[in-house]
Amino acid sequence: MGKNSTHWADDIAKKILERGKKHVVATGITPSGNIHIGNMREVVTADAVYKALSDTDTDTDSRLIYIADTYDPLRKVYPFLPDDYDQYVGWPLSEIPDPDGCCPGYVDHFLNPFLKSLDNLNIKVEVFKADEMYKNGDYNEAIKIALPRRDEISEIIDRISGKSSYSSNWNPFNPICESCGRITSAKVIGYDLDEETVEYSCSCGHSGVASIQGGGKLTWRVDWAARWAILGVTVEPFGKDHAVAGSSYDTGVELSKKIFNYDPPYPIPFEHILLKGKGKMSSSSGVTISIEQMLDILPSEVLRYLIIRTKPEKHIDFDPGIPLITLIDEFDGLLEDDRLRELSQTKSSSVFFARIPFGHIVNAFQIARGDFTQILTVLKRSGYDVSEEEMIKLRSEKAGKWLETFAPNSVKFSLQKKIPDGVKNLSSEQKKALLHLSGYMDGKSGEEIHDEIYKISEELNIKPNSIFKAIYMALLGLKSGPRAGWFLSSLDQTFVKERFIEASDR
Ligand SMILES: [Zn+2]
Ligand SMILES: [Zn+2]
């Protein structure tokens, strides 16, 4: 994308500004498990629009808020939870202990690493926790509006969603049962608006009275609409599942207008991120990549770029194998004034223009066996400017993690300290080629070595490929490896020379 074409975030910002200059961009996720790369799209999309709003007009007053649905119930014992967590199914997440015992509670355990990742991604949000909002009384007015208008609310939801699940004992408010602790099984049987309490009866057999302040929560379709008014939300991205006809956004629009007397926010429905081979990512399935894992292998600016380069309505394929290298190189190739680069910017990316292909860092990492000083030496040998040490360090850490996790075997190698036995099977032409190279390489660039290999192949009347194979066998004990010219130029020349002479003599 060039400097003059507009980015989708700027297009959206323009439309939003037609509605006014004061904006609250809202985003939120239920922290029921590791918050994964699929969820990330919502936050990055919101942040891109928020930044575009701030860039477009200096008079705008915008906020970016993040609401964690901490008062939602635990739906089931997820695969990552201990079996005895069945006792907490139905409890609000905020009331459940940390399964690993390292944080004050369940919510912190999954939310805190996510908030740290947001910081890495240069996303600054004001955080709201739903349980605190309910306990602080932020929802009191909305609950008092909703309780007497139960039938009207139920009619709106049934009519728009096409469901008829709202029976006579349905209520927009779900109390927490003081006996069993669940927020999913007690039904409202009466209320007192002056006392701000509800009477309930629970399927566990208990009946009691709960305060509307913290003693329960609105059902989620009603909660969502109420929240818009409470927080003054004007813009909200959400997964496209919430945007289909009859969805929670549709019911939210009417609930917001008719019940809470508030104009619903500008919607930004977005498609899913599909992890190659794994399909739609969902935190309840257990097969996911968390955002922290993603940030281990992808530079934060590239993770932003992955999301920001695609319009929200298009799905994103993410393949953490070889295409990850292409993605990083593509980002590094963006011009300094490219809007995509601006919107993808994080703290660490603002200075890096060294342009070392990520694949070369991956190879250098393996040649140097992860030793950073050696990595710098290897890169310098192949002609790269290594003055931006901090950035190269960050990138080589990602390379190391990637090699441990998602890198396919085809890119992995290790320089063999002892000459591999396989060299015995090399043909006499292959051995001649190695001997020739041993006398040629000193001080030559990768490209020169590459050209020389082709020249030798003509002279010896063998295929270049058979020389490549001889090189990989002598150094790696493999039939394939990194691009040969570059690879040879990046190695210690004395070592290679001796190895090739030794190999040609076997
Ligand atoms: Zn913890
Ligand atoms: Zn109960």
Side-chain angles (χ1 to χ4, degrees):
M1 176 179 295
K3 200 182 178 183
N4 297 318
S5 51
T6 50
H7 188 265
W8 58 260
D10 295 317
D11 290 339
I12 291 174
K14 217 172 133 193
K15 279 185 206 141
I16 293 166
L17 285 170
E18 286 165 12
R19 297 178 163 204
K21 294 203 165 185
K22 206 171 162 192
H23 289 284
V24 176
V25 184
T27 157
I29 290 156
T30 307
S32 54
N34 280 331
I35 298 172
H36 56 78
I37 178 72
N39 298 136
M40 198 70 230
R41 187 163 198 184
E42 173 167 335
V43 191
V44 173
T45 301
D47 185 60
V49 171
Y50 165 71
K51 290 200 161 91
L53 275 172
S54 318
D55 288 350
T56 314
D57 192 322
T58 44
D59 297 336
T60 54
D61 169 14
S62 318
R63 293 163 62 202
L64 178 62
I65 66 171
Y66 174 87
I67 307 124
D69 285 308
T70 54
Y71 232 23
D72 281 12
L74 180 67
R75 301 264 168 217
K76 59 174 185 178
V77 183
Y78 298 117
F80 51 83
L81 292 174
D83 290 343
D84 66 353
Y85 265 51
D86 55 0
Q87 63 182 306
Y88 300 121
V89 171
W91 281 37
L93 297 173
S94 58
E95 312 308 304
I96 302 174
D98 178 357
D100 288 1
C102 45
C103 312
Y106 191 101
V107 165
D108 290 303
H109 186 71
F110 295 108
L111 193 57
N112 290 349
F114 172 72
L115 295 176
K116 211 179 129 206
S117 303
L118 288 189
D119 189 50
N120 278 334
L121 287 159
N122 196 21
I123 298 175
K124 290 176 183 57
V125 289
E126 294 171 52
V127 179
F128 292 87
K129 291 181 181 167
D131 72 290
E132 289 172 0
M133 291 178 68
Y134 276 102
K135 289 168 188 167
N136 291 339
D138 298 347
Y139 274 94
N140 283 10
E141 283 315 306
I143 295 166
K144 282 160 81 175
I145 290 170
L147 281 170
R149 297 175 75 177
R150 185 198 81 119
D151 291 348
E152 207 182 327
I153 292 172
S154 160
E155 185 279 324
I156 290 172
I157 296 176
D158 279 10
R159 173 169 42 79
I160 295 177
S161 71
K163 288 173 188 163
S164 50
S165 48
Y166 299 91
S167 55
S168 58
N169 69 353
W170 182 83
N171 196 281
F173 188 75
N174 290 333
I176 300 171
C177 170
E178 63 184 340
S179 174
C180 67
R182 286 179 287 170
I183 196 169
T184 47
S185 51
K187 298 284 177 203
V188 171
I189 50 172
Y191 57 85
D192 185 328
L193 293 183
D194 295 328
E195 291 292 318
E196 302 191 335
T197 55
V198 296
E199 259 182 88
Y200 66 84
S201 129
C202 182
S203 60
C204 74
H206 182 78
S207 296
V209 173
S211 168
I212 63 166
Q213 183 166 337
K217 75 179 283 288
L218 292 168
T219 59
W220 83 272
R221 281 179 190 255
V222 184
D223 178 298
W224 199 20
R227 177 184 293 174
W228 293 339
I230 294 168
L231 295 168
V233 176
T234 60
V235 184
E236 184 159 353
F238 44 80
K240 60 143 194 204
D241 310 3
H242 299 310
V244 294
S247 66
S248 46
Y249 180 73
D250 279 358
T251 54
V253 166
E254 194 162 329
L255 291 172
S256 187
K257 285 182 184 162
K258 289 198 175 152
I259 306 295
F260 301 112
N261 195 23
Y262 182 80
D263 271 340
Y266 182 94
I268 309 174
F270 59 84
E271 265 282 357
H272 295 289
I273 297 185
L274 301 159
L275 183 64
K276 177 127 194 230
K278 288 190 173 151
K280 188 187 124 181
M281 271 177 278
S282 136
S283 49
S284 50
S285 70
V287 234
T288 59
I289 304 186
S290 73
I291 293 163
E292 303 87 79
Q293 284 173 302
M294 282 306 307
L295 285 171
D296 273 348
I297 55 167
L298 267 189
S300 52
E301 62 276 15
V302 181
L303 182 49
R304 283 188 70 105
Y305 169 66
L306 171 72
I307 294 166
I308 280 175
R309 68 173 176 168
T310 308
K311 285 185 177 165
E313 63 267 27
K314 294 223 161 79
H315 84 265
I316 294 173
D317 281 318
F318 178 67
D319 186 335
I322 295 287
L324 176 134
I325 294 184
T326 322
L327 181 71
I328 296 176
D329 288 346
E330 202 180 288
F331 175 80
D332 285 344
L334 294 176
L335 297 173
E336 198 173 345
D337 62 357
D338 195 309
R339 185 68 174 140
L340 266 173
R341 177 178 274 276
E342 269 173 20
L343 288 171
S344 306
Q345 207 80 289
T346 62
K347 280 171 227 158
S348 60
S349 63
S350 50
V351 286
F352 190 58
F353 294 105
R355 301 288 296 112
I356 305 176
F358 190 64
H360 284 188
I361 295 182
V362 167
N363 289 339
F365 186 96
Q366 297 184 89
I367 293 167
R369 293 190 172 82
D371 181 299
F372 184 61
T373 318
Q374 286 300 313
I375 293 173
L376 288 179
T377 310
V378 170
L379 290 169
K380 217 180 328 185
R381 267 194 221 120
S382 22
Y384 289 112
D385 171 6
V386 294
S387 52
E388 286 182 46
E389 259 189 46
E390 270 310 300
M391 273 316 293
I392 298 172
K393 187 151 204 245
L394 266 173
R395 289 286 171 104
S396 29
E397 281 163 10
K398 311 279 178 213
K401 284 280 184 194
W402 183 67
L403 285 163
E404 272 172 33
T405 51
F406 297 102
N409 285 333
S410 62
V411 303
K412 292 184 194 171
F413 63 82
S414 77
L415 210 51
Q416 298 299 301
K417 284 185 177 155
K418 266 181 58 191
I419 189 158
D421 280 343
V423 296
K424 287 178 196 147
N425 304 324
L426 296 178
S427 71
S428 61
E429 280 81 11
Q430 283 176 309
K431 288 176 180 171
K432 269 184 210 159
L434 293 181
L435 190 63
H436 180 108
L437 278 171
S438 74
Y440 173 80
M441 291 182 310
D442 232 355
K444 298 292 194 301
S445 72
E447 209 179 327
E448 286 167 324
I449 298 174
H450 177 86
D451 291 345
E452 187 68 12
I453 292 172
Y454 278 83
K455 228 153 77 191
I456 303 171
S457 82
E458 271 174 34
E459 278 166 23
L460 295 173
N461 200 22
I462 55 173
K463 287 186 175 142
N465 199 28
S466 95
I467 303 181
F468 293 142
K469 280 185 179 160
I471 293 167
Y472 301 134
M473 183 49 70
L475 296 167
L476 309 173
L478 297 172
K479 286 177 180 157
S480 62
R483 285 217 331 262
W486 176 86
F487 179 50
L488 292 178
S489 72
S490 66
L491 296 172
D492 178 76
Q493 293 305 303
T494 315
F495 167 79
V496 182
K497 206 186 276 182
E498 282 171 5
R499 175 61 56 87
F500 281 0
I501 291 171
E502 196 182 346
S504 64
D505 202 29
R506 286 286 168 111

